[in-house]
Amino acid sequence: MTEKEKALAGMEFIRGDIDLKKQRDHAEALCFELNHTSPQNTEKREEILHQLIKNTRGRFYIKSPFICEYGEYITLGDNFFANYNCKLIDGGRIQFGDDVLIGPDCTFVTAQHPTDPERRKLGYQIFKPISVGNNVWFGAGVLVCPGVTIGDNCVIGAGSVVVKDIPANCVAVGNPCRVIREITKDDDKNI
């Protein structure tokens, strides 16, 4: 089994695989092109984004600057929006449901490295997927760590560091991010 096959199977692997590097280089070039294309040139931006992120289920809009590691391991649901400086480190799969809103300066990371310094020096790592449900809103500056699942209808407060799963229908905030309350019918009166 190649290191790339191990990585994509969610197994520990040694980074540096030539095929993975080619994929990263291609995505980096597309991100560079996207981030240097005028916001008014919507047709060119959409063309680049569709080359970069092939797994989309409808309309989406991503503001520049935008960075992803591979692009092909990202799935976007319908009506996806990412504000400025979104970073999707997608060695492991990152899946977003429909109607997801991402505030500025948010980062989603699927790569995890060993705590043991010797194994880290040898280049071991593992990709752990991230899954985001439908109708989720991320405030500015959120960091979502490897292996996290976030349920439908959640609000993740600005500056949160999400290290554990968040159940559906919750407001969660903090570092580490934790549920502070459920979303109720009274919330439709608040803005």
Side-chain angles (χ1 to χ4, degrees), residues 45-60:
R45 288 180 52 77
E46 285 181 18
E47 176 187 317
I48 296 166
L49 281 165
H50 280 288
Q51 289 177 50
L52 190 58
I53 304 171
K54 295 178 175 83
N55 299 317
T56 61
R57 294 191 311 263
R59 300 165 295 138
F60 65 93

Side-chain angles (χ1 to χ4, degrees), residues 108-121:
F108 297 75
V109 179
T110 63
Q112 190 170 34
H113 303 277
T115 53
D116 174 54
E118 292 306 314
R119 290 183 60 71
R120 207 168 42 246
K121 282 193 318 191

Side-chain angles (χ1 to χ4, degrees), residues 77-147:
D78 187 33
N79 201 29
F80 174 89
F81 173 79
N83 213 320
Y84 302 106
N85 206 29
C86 179
K87 295 176 278 309
L88 304 178
I89 311 306
D90 64 312
R93 301 193 188 287
I94 302 176
Q95 183 168 336
F96 295 98
D98 296 338
D99 301 304
V100 172
L101 301 172
I102 298 177
D105 298 315
C106 288
T107 303
F108 297 75
V109 179
T110 63
Q112 190 170 34
H113 303 277
T115 53
D116 174 54
E118 292 306 314
R119 290 183 60 71
R120 207 168 42 246
K121 282 193 318 191
L122 292 172
Y124 284 96
Q125 71 180 77
I126 190 169
F127 293 142
K128 294 187 175 183
I130 293 171
S131 179
V132 175
N134 297 313
N135 199 29
V136 177
W137 171 31
F138 295 90
V142 171
L143 169 62
V144 178
C145 293

